[in-house]
Amino acid sequence: MAAVAANLPAEVEDGEPRREEVPDLDSQRRQIENGESGPKFVTRRGFCLWRRPSSKEKRKCRFLVGQHWYKQWEVYVKGGDQDSSTFPGCINNAKLFEDKVNWNLKKGLVEGEDYVLLPAAAWNYLVSWYGLEHGQPPIERKVVELRGIYKVEVYPVELLLVQHSAMDTPHTAQFSQTDSVDLVLRAAREQFVVSPQEETRLWVKNAEGSFERLCNTRVTVLDAALKSGQLVVMETRSKDGTWPSKQPRTVSSASKEDENFQGQPGICGLTNLGNTCFMNSALQCLSNVPQLTEYFLKNRYLEELNFCNPLGMKGEIAEAYADLVKQAWSGHHRSIVPNVFKTKVGHFASQFLGYQQHDSQELLSFLLDGLHEDLNRVKKKEYVELCDAAGRPDHEVAQEAWQNHKRRNDSVIVDTFHGLFKSTLVCPDCGNVSVTFDPFCYLSVPLPVSHKRVMEVFFVSMDPRRKPEQHRLVVPKKGKISDLCVALAKHTGVSPERMMVADVFSHRFYKIFQLEESLSTILDRDDIFIYEVSGRSSITENTREDVVIPIYLRERTPARDYNNSYYGLMLFGHPLLVSVPRDRLSWDALYHILLYRLSRYVTRPSSDDEDDGDEKADIEDKNSIPKPGNAVGGSSQDPGPEQAGPSSGVASGSRAPVDNSPGPSHWPQRARRKHLFTLQTVNSNGTSDRSNFNEDTHAQPYIAIDWDPEMKKRYYDEVEAEGYVKHDCVGYVLKKAPVRLQECIELFTTVETLEKENPWYCPSCKQHQLATKKLDLWTLPETLIIHLKRFSYTKFSREKLDTLVEFPIRDLDFSEFVIKPQNESAPELYKYDLIAVSNHYGGLRDGHYTTFACNKDSGQWHYFDDNSVSPVTENQIESKAAYVLFYQRQDVARRLQSKPQPGLSDPPAPPACDPLPKSEFMDIN
């Protein structure tokens, strides 16, 4: 509180006499005594306490008068002689000051001993009668209320004000503890001659020597815990939109080159911090919403920061976003690094911590909600009971719903992005109709989904001369395995009854499917093989039906041990499903059947080769061909982590040979002959031999073909084995018909039945019902965000819809979708123009986000790809990657264009709020 430097008496209030109208001494005494405010004051820690003043006195201040002069004056007036030698002369408070330069009060002055306190009226009387010592300022002090007690603040808080750029030249200023921090900021701006267009903020140096932000400038000096002698730093935002305290101590050469850069405001990239393209895309879209960006550039957000909202982020998200906007639209950056914003987002939304890829629409939803709560003009949200229509007219219910929404939610986000739905629920049992109106921030519209699905499979014929064929099949999305076989039969001519479908992974069968299983269990990335088999395996035993046996290929690999006699086994190649007649279930017959099936890429040895390998084959037969009852064994109940096993579809049912294949005790003993490979029963994972087999259990037999490395090298052609051909259907380009955006909106407003997981409680039936639900658009916002639901998630599958959605750049007409009675004289209230698009390229596991946006100043479209920005034409905007669309209502665009060019205004003060926000910290360079 700066002292008033004036020696002349202030204007006399309430008809007080001027100096030339000096009354007699008795009248002077009565007027002064009547002007005083009650009993003597009690001094306590720099304050004088007294009785509760009247409402008029609360607005008054008090003046200090030296005790010596005041006592002299009392003696003079009581003597009654105006010519007496006791005349006190001019009011002289010299004994109360420490010096005659800054006129600071001495410390430890006591009321009643060193000074008296007079009301303003009494002070004005005395000054008008006696005058004030030349050069001395009046000592005026405020009457303040602190925690319900009224006091005279004799010693104000003295703060040392400095600029961030000149920390060594502090300026002392006095403030009352009831003054707002905003007054401190205004005093600092005035002291350091800061122009109204420049934005400033305050930091205070605490006892530990670090600096904390004074975020909420509407709290008092007392609530901000400011003490006399504390250093308060005023920081001024740079022309490029950054704060000096946020700049690194070491400036890179690249940033030095950009110091004098001047480009188009808003044409600024965002550095990818590591999988943060989703965040960059959402920020670029939001930054190009004209009215929101103007709101931040003109500093209107400062007066609406809500630091005490329990649902908000203490203003930190809003301030971090404002910093980004000011930097991007300063025109001084080619690109900026949004690391501070990323840190703030991760702090308040843990799902965005780290550097994993996320959804730009999810980040956008969080950001809009965070900005809304940080800028909510409603400081204390009242309880609002939601009311059903109960037969009332729609316009009445809608108006009530919107007013109730605004009673709790009122911000620039609501003004810009919020609209109103009409939701109609109908009970299927009693027919009860419930109508409510609900606000929305964006539309998540579904894409028309095709009921067909394209699957790629490999067909393996029983004819060993034919290579596997790759086929591209169109099947029902909710179809069964049998539908896949029927579709393949049209291409191959092989009956679906002679097909078995398997998922092959890592050279083994991950799963062998049953005919009735759903296709939804097969993912697009799965390698699906369909094998031709000779026929069915019988339900009953002792029939002459064929048995289908899974075959694995393995290679012996030498492993080091003490005896150098152990061989490891590695799977390789593609497994087979081989039909074997039940009456030929012998090792020797099976060997020749497999040799025939492998004949395309396995060469039969000549007679000389057989003689050379005779001895070796005999030795191997002794060691590796199992004997009945002990060598051929193992249990299929020990499946590995990536296998199908008996439970995967080969253990039961007509398609599986499980119940019809003989156990190992039924297999004839193999004769010792000269073989290219040996056969071994294995578990369903194909990685270990079967042992201790229970003969009473009819488990699916899995056979491994084990190759010696030398024999494999001589007789096995790996190139030929891996070869396959593409059927003509693979070359067909399956074009998806594009859909119009209006079709998506129509689908959004169609009637749907609630899912079992989300029933509706009918107040009439008193129970949860799978009601029908219909959403209609009642009112639309200034800026409409349309989210295209490209990502589909079900229990068994996830997919991205790459359907081309045709959306207009201009004149998107919503008049046919808005059911509220329309104003026909203002058609622009229902027409929208595109201003930004968030794009997603790639699939579910990986992808990349970019942005198309129209600059609000130039009207030019640009493509934002992280820190790269390039101009584009309008015909480049529409693509299959379009994910989130931003549309602006045409009347809003015209209104913004009619306004003068934006200029920065004085930074307004944020609203008052009792709790202090979480402090920030600053390094003083």
Side-chain angles (χ1 to χ4, degrees), residues 263-315:
Q264 171 71 42
I267 310 305
C268 177
L270 295 172
T271 300
N272 193 323
L273 305 175
N275 285 328
T276 58
C277 57
F278 73 96
M279 181 183 75
N280 294 346
S281 178
L283 288 173
Q284 293 287 13
C285 286
L286 210 56
S287 173
N288 283 278
V289 176
Q291 60 269 48
L292 184 64
T293 296
E294 287 296 310
Y295 172 85
F296 283 99
L297 291 180
K298 291 185 176 181
N299 292 326
R300 292 201 296 269
Y301 75 99
L302 290 174
E303 63 186 7
E304 295 181 350
L305 282 170
N306 191 332
F307 296 105
C308 58
N309 186 353
L311 300 178
M313 290 94 179
K314 310 303 181 186

Side-chain angles (χ1 to χ4, degrees), residues 155-166:
Y155 290 100
V157 177
E158 291 186 354
L159 299 177
L160 302 177
L161 304 180
V162 296
Q163 284 184 291
H164 183 269
S165 57

Side-chain angles (χ1 to χ4, degrees), residues 200-355:
T200 54
R201 62 182 184 181
L202 296 179
W203 300 79
V204 61
K205 187 175 183 180
N206 57 28
E208 290 75 24
S210 60
F211 289 82
E212 299 180 13
R213 267 280 312 279
L214 293 174
C215 299
N216 190 352
T217 60
R218 291 301 294 275
V219 298
T220 64
V221 170
L222 177 64
D223 291 333
L226 297 179
K227 305 296 183 183
S228 291
Q230 274 192 296
L231 188 69
V232 177
V233 182
M234 185 188 73
E235 184 183 18
T236 304
R237 190 188 290 272
S238 305
K239 291 182 179 180
D240 64 356
T242 60
W243 293 104
S245 60
K246 297 297 183 182
Q247 294 177 350
R249 294 178 181 271
T250 57
V251 182
S252 64
S253 58
S255 61
K256 289 181 179 179
E257 293 176 2
D258 289 347
E259 285 181 358
N260 298 322
F261 173 76
Q262 182 61 54
Q264 171 71 42
I267 310 305
C268 177
L270 295 172
T271 300
N272 193 323
L273 305 175
N275 285 328
T276 58
C277 57
F278 73 96
M279 181 183 75
N280 294 346
S281 178
L283 288 173
Q284 293 287 13
C285 286
L286 210 56
S287 173
N288 283 278
V289 176
Q291 60 269 48
L292 184 64
T293 296
E294 287 296 310
Y295 172 85
F296 283 99
L297 291 180
K298 291 185 176 181
N299 292 326
R300 292 201 296 269
Y301 75 99
L302 290 174
E303 63 186 7
E304 295 181 350
L305 282 170
N306 191 332
F307 296 105
C308 58
N309 186 353
L311 300 178
M313 290 94 179
K314 310 303 181 186
E316 294 185 37
I317 288 293
E319 288 191 323
Y321 177 74
D323 286 347
L324 276 182
V325 169
K326 288 176 180 291
Q327 292 178 48
W329 288 85
S330 68
H332 292 282
H333 297 281
R334 291 182 175 87
S335 66
I336 55 179
V337 183
N339 51 2
V340 175
F341 181 83
K342 171 70 171 61
T343 302
K344 295 290 184 185
V345 169
H347 175 73
F348 291 105
S350 58
Q351 68 268 30
F352 297 115
L353 279 172
Y355 297 94

Side-chain angles (χ1 to χ4, degrees), residues 782-799:
E782 292 183 351
T783 300
L784 179 62
I785 302 175
I786 302 177
H787 165 223
L788 303 177
K789 297 173 70 173
R790 290 195 177 275
F791 299 105
S792 173
Y793 301 94
T794 64
K795 184 178 181 181
F796 297 104
S797 65
R798 300 182 303 165
E799 64 176 331

Side-chain angles (χ1 to χ4, degrees), residues 78-89:
K78 289 180 181 179
D81 184 3
Q82 292 189 354
D83 298 326
S84 172
S85 60
T86 58
F87 179 74

Side-chain angles (χ1 to χ4, degrees), residues 341-555:
F341 181 83
K342 171 70 171 61
T343 302
K344 295 290 184 185
V345 169
H347 175 73
F348 291 105
S350 58
Q351 68 268 30
F352 297 115
L353 279 172
Y355 297 94
Q356 300 298 317
Q357 182 66 277
H358 292 280
D359 191 310
S360 67
Q361 190 272 334
E362 291 179 1
L363 188 279
L364 183 67
S365 176
F366 161 78
L367 181 54
L368 288 173
D369 184 64
L371 290 176
H372 160 64
E373 296 297 353
D374 273 0
L375 300 168
N376 199 342
R377 304 174 187 116
V378 179
K379 305 311 171 190
K380 293 184 179 179
K381 295 190 177 185
E382 55 182 305
Y383 172 75
V384 177
E385 185 175 355
L386 299 179
C387 297
D388 195 82
R392 293 180 294 162
D394 281 352
H395 67 86
E396 179 182 333
V397 183
Q399 184 178 7
E400 178 186 64
W402 185 250
Q403 289 175 349
N404 287 341
H405 179 60
K406 292 279 285 186
R407 285 163 62 185
R408 293 175 54 85
N409 304 278
D410 185 15
S411 70
V412 66
I413 302 300
V414 175
D415 299 340
T416 307
F417 299 102
H418 282 206
L420 204 61
F421 282 139
K422 177 186 177 183
S423 175
T424 305
L425 290 164
V426 180
C427 178
D429 287 351
C430 67
N432 177 45
V433 179
S434 172
V435 176
T436 57
F437 288 82
D438 305 304
F440 68 89
C441 190
Y442 50 83
L443 298 181
S444 289
V445 298
L447 273 63
V449 179
S450 172
H451 298 291
K452 297 292 184 179
R453 176 183 178 186
V454 178
M455 298 183 66
E456 290 190 356
V457 301
F458 289 91
F459 174 67
V460 181
S461 172
M462 290 181 62
D463 185 351
R465 296 169 297 178
R466 295 178 58 184
K467 292 182 179 181
E469 292 180 345
Q470 184 183 19
H471 290 257
R472 183 174 291 169
L473 308 176
V474 180
V475 294
K477 184 169 290 187
K478 295 184 179 180
K480 299 179 180 180
I481 297 296
S482 58
D483 296 314
L484 189 64
C485 296
V486 170
L488 181 61
K490 296 177 181 178
H491 292 184
T492 61
V494 177
S495 170
E497 301 296 320
R498 299 180 58 187
M499 295 181 185
M500 292 190 70
V501 182
D503 181 358
V504 175
F505 177 74
S506 189
H507 312 294
R508 59 174 65 89
F509 290 116
Y510 183 80
K511 184 174 184 179
I512 300 177
F513 295 95
Q514 296 285 344
L515 279 174
E516 298 303 314
E517 288 191 71
S518 173
L519 288 174
S520 62
T521 59
I522 299 178
L523 304 181
D524 290 338
R525 65 176 182 269
D526 293 340
D527 292 325
I528 302 301
F529 283 71
I530 300 181
Y531 297 87
E532 180 187 5
V533 295
S534 62
R536 297 280 176 228
S537 34
S538 175
I539 300 297
T540 59
E541 291 194 31
N542 301 321
T543 62
R544 302 182 64 83
E545 298 289 337
D546 291 352
V547 177
V548 179
I549 300 178
I551 304 296
Y552 291 145
L553 299 174
R554 301 193 302 184
E555 179 182 3

Side-chain angles (χ1 to χ4, degrees), residues 562-574:
Y562 296 108
N563 300 322
N564 200 27
S565 60
Y566 174 79
Y567 287 85
L569 292 165
M570 283 182 52
L571 290 168
F572 71 94
H574 298 301

Side-chain angles (χ1 to χ4, degrees), residues 526-635:
D526 293 340
D527 292 325
I528 302 301
F529 283 71
I530 300 181
Y531 297 87
E532 180 187 5
V533 295
S534 62
R536 297 280 176 228
S537 34
S538 175
I539 300 297
T540 59
E541 291 194 31
N542 301 321
T543 62
R544 302 182 64 83
E545 298 289 337
D546 291 352
V547 177
V548 179
I549 300 178
I551 304 296
Y552 291 145
L553 299 174
R554 301 193 302 184
E555 179 182 3
R556 294 188 180 93
T557 57
R560 295 179 180 178
D561 64 0
Y562 296 108
N563 300 322
N564 200 27
S565 60
Y566 174 79
Y567 287 85
L569 292 165
M570 283 182 52
L571 290 168
F572 71 94
H574 298 301
L576 296 172
L577 289 177
V578 178
S579 299
V580 180
R582 190 177 296 275
D583 58 354
R584 294 183 61 188
L585 281 179
S586 67
W587 291 110
D588 188 63
L590 181 60
Y591 173 84
H592 286 91
I593 290 174
L594 294 177
L595 194 62
Y596 171 73
R597 286 297 301 270
L598 302 177
S599 60
R600 182 171 57 86
Y601 46 90
V602 173
T603 306
R604 290 178 179 271
S606 63
S607 58
D608 294 338
D609 291 337
E610 291 182 1
D611 293 339
D612 293 341
D614 191 8
E615 181 180 353
K616 182 178 180 180
D618 287 344
I619 297 174
E620 288 181 354
D621 284 347
K622 291 179 182 179
N623 296 331
S624 62
I625 297 180
K627 300 298 181 183
N630 52 22
V632 181
S635 172

